[in-house]
């Protein structure tokens, strides 16, 4: 890809991974006029994009062969390794000048490896995990945490701006992933506090709907409290963000922290409580379902 | 006190406990024209109010003898017990019709006892702990969580409105204290998440000032992050709200929870980390100094 600005009709976009997030995000690029070549584990999952004119590729490498900028948003770090670093992966096939943007929430150390492997082939890589969930993806209001060379970010920024409202450069390769981990650590342990507090208030016989308003306007206020508090009180645990994905993120953060010789007791507790929640059969619920595991601890039946 | 509305020149106010909070709060009542009789552990602490014309009383009971509405904001539940329930305490002396408003953050079960003891004397009692700290008290912007009879609250509401911006009735006696505990539980465990996240980001070499802005606008955003995040990054641990007071609040919440047969692992962890922080000599710092105990855990020198 040349240093000239990206543009529809000129820049060919590739997309690997067309789950709930990828479908919306790639869709925004196509709406803006970009041609797209897509790959996902099953062709069926990409159908909404294929019906709008996206081309199907038989492998991640085939996506890279047909694209100037390759985006990737898949499940777990193992998937990222396979689609980007594998024998038929994107980097093995990409021409020099290609930019690879991994938007999966994944391991910072893997982002470094990807960046190094890409560089050997004259390919640029960014790690650019997102925050904002399926709604953020659908409404193109994601927060995007970017790690890698700033000039590479500037080249693809017009594409990222079609998906997100906040695009923050966090530092060299891996920094985007680290920044996303910081985001998840705040949320994970905060969710324990929110759920325990509501559980306490419930047992104490308080009017929680009313109390929530008072809390929101004071020092206990947070995005989680305002957005998840009412759903917790309704007993509506639809995702949002999936428990099983959150567990993956916390495991990555704990691994990275251990590697940095950093003890994070709050995050470790959150991780264990979410593992319990998953064990109780709630892995496909939203993260605010943590209330169910905390209620179960004390034999409280929640709503 | 009659059912007629309170008014300066007609309603005599009593104030027990003139620490940082009490001085500001009683000061607002005097500014509005109310006459005040005050008592505190040392007369010296009340001087700013005495110089403005408040009368000194030699005991909590003497305050009650001279007042229609008696406010109390002291240190720990033992102090509340002494000044309200003791032999020379306010309830022993108060005339029927007096209203006693305990604004100390204290035990919900003690609030119930106070309410019952008061009722026997024809006295009305409210528990009305506050949130918002010294700044909230100074600027009359406190959130006030009120437990007790609603009609009693309505009678003294004009006085509370001189101290706070949000006055929420939470239910019968003890509910104000319970609601304050809910508030503290959210904040305590959330603070672990905030500090651990920033510590992780620091070890990962991120630009935390920049990251804080991105976090604040997304799903990790909270009052604590916006207000304490920058101070933590500066290494400014002035209170805010004192660690030693926070430890008292958490101990009350844990006791009450145990009484309700409720397990709160996140709060228990927060409590222990704050106990460690106090053991490290930081009891008179602000609650966001939790960063120091978490950094100490992994031998990180914070700022």
């Amino acid at each position: 890809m040349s240093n000239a600005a990206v543009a529809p009709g000129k820049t060919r976009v590739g997309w690997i991974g067309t789950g709930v997030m990828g479908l919306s995000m790639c869709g925004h690029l196509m709406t803006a006029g970009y041609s797209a070549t897509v790959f996902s584990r099953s062709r069926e999952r990409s159908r909404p994009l294929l019906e709008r004119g996206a081309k199907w590729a038989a492998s991640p490498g085939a996506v890279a062969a047909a694209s100037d900028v390759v985006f990737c948003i898949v499940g777990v770090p193992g998937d990222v390794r396979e689609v980007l670093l594998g024998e038929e992966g994107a980097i093995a096939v990409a021409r020099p000048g290609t930019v690879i943007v991994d938007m999966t929430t994944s391991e910072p150390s893997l982002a470094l490896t990807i960046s190094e492997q890409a560089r050997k082939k004259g390919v640029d890589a960014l790690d650019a995990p997102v925050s904002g969930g399926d709604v953020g993806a659908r409404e193109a209001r994601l927060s995007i945490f970017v790690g890698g060379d700033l000039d590479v970010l500037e080249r693809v920024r017009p594409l990222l701006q079609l998906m997100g409202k906040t695009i923050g450069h966090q530092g060299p390769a891996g920094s985007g992933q680290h920044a996303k981990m910081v985001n998840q650590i705040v949320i994970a342990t905060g969710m324990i506090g929110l759920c325990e507090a509501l559980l306490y208030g419930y047992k104490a016989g308080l009017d929680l709907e009313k109390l929530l308003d008072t809390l929101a306007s004071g020092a206990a206020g947070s995005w989680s409290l305002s957005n998840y508090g009412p759903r917790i009180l309704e007993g509506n645990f639809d995702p949002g963000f999936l428990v099983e994905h959150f567990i993956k993120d916390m495991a990555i953060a704990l691994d990275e922290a251990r590697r940095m010789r950093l003890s994070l007791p709050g995050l470790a507790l959150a991780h264990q409580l979410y593992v319990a929640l998953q064990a109780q059969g709630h892995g496909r619920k939203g993260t605010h379902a943590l209330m169910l595991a905390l209620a179960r601890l004390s034999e409280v039946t929640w709503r």
Side-chain angles (χ1 to χ4, degrees), chain A:
Chain A
M1 180 186 157
S2 82
N3 275 317
V6 294
K10 190 183 98 183
T11 306
R12 297 166 306 157
V13 163
W15 201 282
I16 300 167
T18 51
V20 174
M21 300 295 286
L23 279 181
S24 290
M25 294 158 77
C26 183
H28 293 309
L29 299 182
M30 293 180 69
T31 301
Y34 287 93
S35 67
T37 303
V38 305
F39 170 80
S40 64
R41 206 171 289 229
S42 87
R43 185 174 176 143
E44 182 56 26
R45 300 205 64 173
S46 295
R47 198 165 53 164
L49 298 173
L50 299 176
E51 284 173 354
R52 291 178 56 190
K55 288 182 287 283
W56 174 253
S59 70
V63 170
S67 308
D68 302 304
V69 184
V70 178
F71 293 92
C72 160
I73 185 161
V74 293
V76 297
D79 300 328
V80 175
R81 227 171 254 117
E82 187 186 327
V83 302
L84 295 187
L85 299 175
E87 272 182 36
E88 293 185 64
I91 291 175
V93 177
R95 281 154 301 109
T98 306
V99 179
I100 293 179
V101 186
D102 180 23
M103 306 189 79
T104 318
T105 295
S106 172
E107 299 161 358
S109 49
L110 176 56
L112 268 175
T113 304
I114 290 166
S115 173
E116 284 159 13
Q117 294 300 314
R119 196 179 307 266
K120 286 181 193 165
K121 303 260 314 191
V123 168
D124 290 307
L126 298 174
D127 47 301
V130 303
S131 172
D134 53 345
V135 178
R138 205 159 50 234
E139 298 176 354
R141 293 173 53 81
L142 295 167
S143 289
I144 309 180
F145 302 95
V146 185
D149 291 347
L150 182 57
D151 68 314
V152 178
L153 166 57
E154 293 311 334
R155 276 151 61 198
V156 300
R157 190 185 284 276
L159 295 168
L160 295 177
Q161 282 171 332
L162 294 170
M163 312 176 212
K165 69 174 169 59
T166 313
I167 294 133
H169 184 245
Q170 308 296 333
S175 301
Q177 297 295 353
H178 275 310
K180 177 69 189 287
M181 290 300 133
V182 170
N183 188 75
Q184 302 300 70
I185 296 169
V186 172
I187 294 171
T189 311
M191 190 65 83
I192 305 178
L194 174 58
C195 292
E196 287 190 0
L198 293 177
L199 200 55
Y200 176 104
Y202 172 73
K203 287 283 277 189
L206 299 178
D207 178 340
L208 295 178
E209 278 77 9
K210 204 164 129 188
L211 179 54
L212 215 50
D213 286 341
T214 317
L215 293 175
S217 68
S222 71
W223 190 96
S224 283
L225 184 135
S226 295
N227 284 273
Y228 288 131
R231 292 193 233 173
I232 292 170
L233 296 190
E234 285 164 18
N236 171 5
F237 295 115
D238 295 343
F241 185 63
L242 285 178
V243 166
E244 57 191 31
H245 290 167
F246 205 34
I247 290 175
K248 172 208 55 162
D249 293 357
M250 286 184 273
I252 293 171
L254 286 167
D255 275 353
E256 293 287 333
R258 182 172 42 75
R259 218 167 287 178
M260 299 190 286
R261 299 278 181 272
L262 190 62
S263 170
L264 301 178
L267 180 62
L269 175 61
H271 184 235
Q272 288 303 305
L273 289 171
Y274 273 102
V275 168
L277 181 63
Q278 191 179 34
Q280 290 160 20
H282 302 306
R284 303 288 297 171
K285 289 202 168 70
T287 53
H288 55 299
L290 184 64
M291 178 56 108
L292 298 175
L294 286 163
R296 174 73 57 98
L297 261 186
S298 302
E299 304 278 353
V300 174
T301 304
W302 184 257
R303 311 271 134 139

